[in-house]
């Protein structure tokens, strides 16, 4: 029988945020979710050992109380301790509880590490898994070690999505960033919300209290909005809804306002604006230029916007030793090109039908990858 005086369960967080045994507060909820996942599997194991019993013993869940005793380096390894003596009052005489806990942990590890199919998850396990690892970002993971085989399994954003959507279609994850306020809806009560344009999911509706909209958001159309949310996505990572709002607030961005003013100025030009030459700028080009600035508010201070003679918009900017140009056609199509300022490299003109995901990927690869 396993030692029941005390048991230590370790979760190893890998990623730059966790270096030096740092554990961001937004992932602390993982610890209670991990405990709830253990309890769900412990109930299954107790039923397997006691098929004649129809109900879980009173105090069974309360017997699984854990303490965070330390956080080790590598990157960050929170260690949770379960002490058998603390459960005596809840389950006197239930000597097998320690073994049940060890089996439950092994089953959690097997769930995360299995390579063929996905174990059926009941509602209790799904609720816990929807919280466990919800704060992970790309290139981050939680590692767990199988105590029987010493094999290491890991939970990352892809594995979470695979596990949960295999059973219920949608899953929950943390989403934080900066967007632009595009509208408000003040209905009073729980129906009030703000509309925010985000780089990842376009426009989303974020529930905000009526009084907060009136005091903080009214009169701030197209202002930057910083947010931290729990959102529900489908198996293809398409946005479904906001589940919980942790934080949201308006952030001033004068650079974006200047870009928007410049686009409005360009929009007033009439045919012949360039010494008798030059077509009026099309609405499709103006809309695409504004959408481009909305999608990339961080860089608005760098953008130089010009009309083109054919009726489009040219956006030039220098960044990290490169001179880039994004030329928007009269139909909203996009061409991007660039040259290295003090070097010989160049980005040959690349054409996109519109500001779609392919253009976003190329822009991010050329610009954001240098950050």
């Amino acid at each position: 029988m396993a030692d029941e005086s005390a048991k230590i369960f370790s979760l190893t967080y890998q990623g730059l945020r966790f270096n030096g045994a740092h554990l961001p507060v937004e992932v602390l909820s993982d610890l209670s979710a991990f405990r709830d996942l253990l309890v769900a599997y412990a109930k299954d194991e107790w039923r397997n050992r006691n098929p004649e019993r129809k109900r879980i013993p009173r105090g069974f869940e309360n017997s699984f109380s854990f303490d965070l005793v330390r956080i080790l380096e590598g990157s960050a390894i929170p260690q949770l301790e379960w002490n058998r003596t603390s459960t005596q009052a809840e389950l006197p005489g239930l000597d097998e509880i320690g073994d049940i806990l060890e089996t439950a942990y092994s089953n959690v590890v097997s769930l995360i590490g299995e390579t063929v199919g996905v174990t059926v998850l009941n509602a209790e396990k799904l609720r816990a898994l929807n919280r466990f690892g919800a704060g992970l970002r790309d290139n981050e993971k939680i590692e767990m070690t199988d105590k029987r085989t010493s094999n290491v399994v890991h939970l990352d954003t892809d594995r979470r999505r695979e596990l949960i959507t295999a059973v219920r279609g949608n899953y929950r994850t943390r989403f934080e960033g900066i967007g632009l306020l595009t509208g408000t809806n003040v209905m009073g009560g729980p129906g009030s919300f703000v509309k925010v344009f985000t780089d990842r999911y376009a426009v989303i509706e974020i529930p905000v209290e009526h009084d907060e909209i009136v005091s903080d958001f009214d009169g701030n159309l197209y202002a930057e909005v910083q947010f931290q949310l729990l959102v529900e996505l489908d198996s293809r990572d398409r946005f479904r809804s906001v589940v919980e709002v942790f934080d949201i607030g308006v952030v001033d961005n004068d650079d974006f306002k200047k870009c928007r003013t410049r686009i409005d100025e360009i929009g007033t030009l009439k045919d012949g604006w360039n010494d008798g030459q030059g077509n009026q700028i099309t609405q499709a080009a103006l809309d695409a230029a504004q959408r481009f600035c909305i999608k990339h508010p961080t860089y608005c201070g760098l953008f130089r916007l010009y009309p083109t003679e054919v009726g489009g918009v040219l956006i030039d900017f220098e960044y990290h030793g490169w001179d880039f140009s994004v030329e928007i056609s009269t139909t909203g199509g996009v061409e991007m090109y660039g040259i290295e300022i003090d070097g010989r490299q160049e980005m040959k003109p690349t054409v996109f039908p519109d500001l779609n995901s392919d253009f976003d990927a190329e822009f991010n690869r050329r610009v954001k990858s240098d950050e």
Side-chain angles (χ1 to χ4, degrees):
M1 180 177 293
D3 177 15
E4 295 183 355
S5 60
K7 295 183 184 296
I8 299 292
F9 297 89
S10 299
L11 303 174
T12 300
Y13 284 77
Q14 297 286 2
L16 293 177
R17 284 195 301 164
F18 311 117
N19 286 347
H22 288 183
L23 202 63
V25 293
E26 59 263 29
V27 304
L28 290 178
S29 59
D30 288 353
L31 306 185
S32 61
F34 172 67
R35 177 261 180 195
D36 292 346
L37 197 55
L38 280 178
V39 170
Y41 276 101
K43 289 179 180 179
D44 287 349
E45 180 60 19
W46 187 88
R47 293 187 182 100
N48 290 337
R49 296 181 180 217
N50 301 274
E52 74 286 354
R53 302 281 296 274
K54 295 183 178 181
R55 296 181 179 177
I56 298 294
R58 179 176 297 183
F60 186 85
E61 286 194 37
N62 292 337
S63 69
F64 295 96
S65 178
F66 294 85
D67 295 320
L68 177 61
V69 293
R70 66 186 65 88
I71 301 177
L72 304 178
E73 292 194 23
S75 293
I77 308 174
Q79 294 197 315
L80 304 176
E81 181 183 79
W82 176 84
N83 196 307
R84 176 66 181 93
T85 58
S86 66
T87 69
Q88 290 291 347
E90 297 292 344
L91 290 172
L94 188 56
D95 294 331
E96 61 183 347
I97 190 68
D99 285 340
I100 288 177
L101 180 58
E102 289 287 1
T103 301
Y105 174 79
S106 294
N107 288 336
V108 170
V109 172
S110 296
L111 168 71
I112 295 171
E114 64 188 357
T115 57
V116 180
V118 176
T119 302
V120 174
L121 301 174
N122 60 23
E124 186 176 9
K125 296 187 182 78
L126 275 173
R127 283 195 300 270
L129 195 56
N130 247 325
R131 292 185 292 116
F132 186 43
L136 290 174
R137 299 174 180 173
D138 292 341
N139 302 316
E140 295 179 348
K141 59 185 177 181
I142 304 172
E143 292 181 346
M144 302 169 63
T145 302
D146 190 327
K147 296 182 179 181
R148 300 167 301 181
T149 65
S150 296
N151 290 335
V152 177
V153 302
H154 72 269
L155 182 73
D156 57 14
T157 55
D158 289 337
R159 184 56 177 159
R160 283 191 72 250
R161 178 178 62 247
E162 180 184 6
L163 286 171
I164 299 171
T165 59
V167 180
R168 68 183 300 266
N170 296 341
Y171 74 104
R172 296 177 179 180
T173 187
R174 196 177 181 100
F175 176 42
E176 55 188 49
I178 294 177
L180 289 173
L181 182 68
T182 61
T184 62
N185 192 335
V186 184
M187 302 176 62
S192 300
F193 59 85
V194 298
K195 294 182 177 181
V196 176
F197 182 92
T198 69
D199 190 23
R200 185 176 301 180
Y201 304 120
V203 176
I204 65 175
E205 296 179 356
I206 304 176
V208 176
E209 300 241 350
H210 171 276
D211 292 345
E212 187 177 353
I213 292 179
V214 173
S215 62
D216 296 346
F217 294 92
D218 274 0
N220 285 302
L221 193 63
Y222 295 112
E224 273 194 317
V225 174
Q226 190 167 11
F227 54 82
Q228 296 182 30
L229 313 169
L230 183 68
V231 298
E232 186 157 274
L233 310 177
D234 67 13
S235 59
R236 297 176 64 183
D237 285 340
R238 292 175 299 194
F239 176 83
R240 286 292 173 258
S241 65
V242 174
V243 178
E244 186 175 355
V245 180
F246 302 115
D247 186 42
I248 183 171
V250 173
V251 179
D252 288 334
N253 187 339
D254 291 336
D255 291 331
F256 172 77
K257 294 177 182 177
K258 290 178 182 177
C259 282
R260 188 162 180 263
T261 298
R262 177 59 175 161
I263 293 171
D264 289 342
E265 291 174 350
I266 293 173
T268 64
L269 298 175
K270 305 299 183 181
D271 285 341
W273 55 266
N274 187 20
D275 294 330
Q277 304 295 317
N279 297 333
Q280 183 176 1
I281 312 306
T282 67
Q283 192 61 48
L286 295 171
D287 290 345
Q290 180 159 288
R291 180 177 170 83
F292 176 77
C293 294
I294 289 175
K295 289 170 71 68
H296 305 290
T298 304
Y299 306 98
C300 280
L302 305 176
F303 294 161
R304 304 182 301 273
L305 292 89
Y306 309 100
T308 66
E309 284 198 354
V310 296
V313 177
L314 176 66
I315 302 173
D316 286 337
F317 62 101
E318 294 181 5
Y319 191 71
H320 281 202
W322 280 74
D323 189 350
F324 290 106
S325 294
V326 175
E327 187 168 345
I328 300 173
S329 72
T330 56
T331 61
V334 186
E335 183 178 32
M336 183 175 178
Y337 47 92
I339 58 172
E340 192 177 18
I341 296 173
D342 294 323
R344 304 179 64 179
Q345 297 186 68
E346 65 176 319
M347 174 189 176
K348 294 183 178 180
T350 306
V351 178
F352 304 89
D354 52 33
L355 294 171
N356 55 21
S357 58
D358 290 337
F359 171 79
D360 287 340
E362 184 65 15
F363 182 88
N364 292 341
R365 186 175 76 85
R366 296 284 182 172
V367 178
K368 291 189 176 182
S369 62
D370 289 335
E371 295 180 346

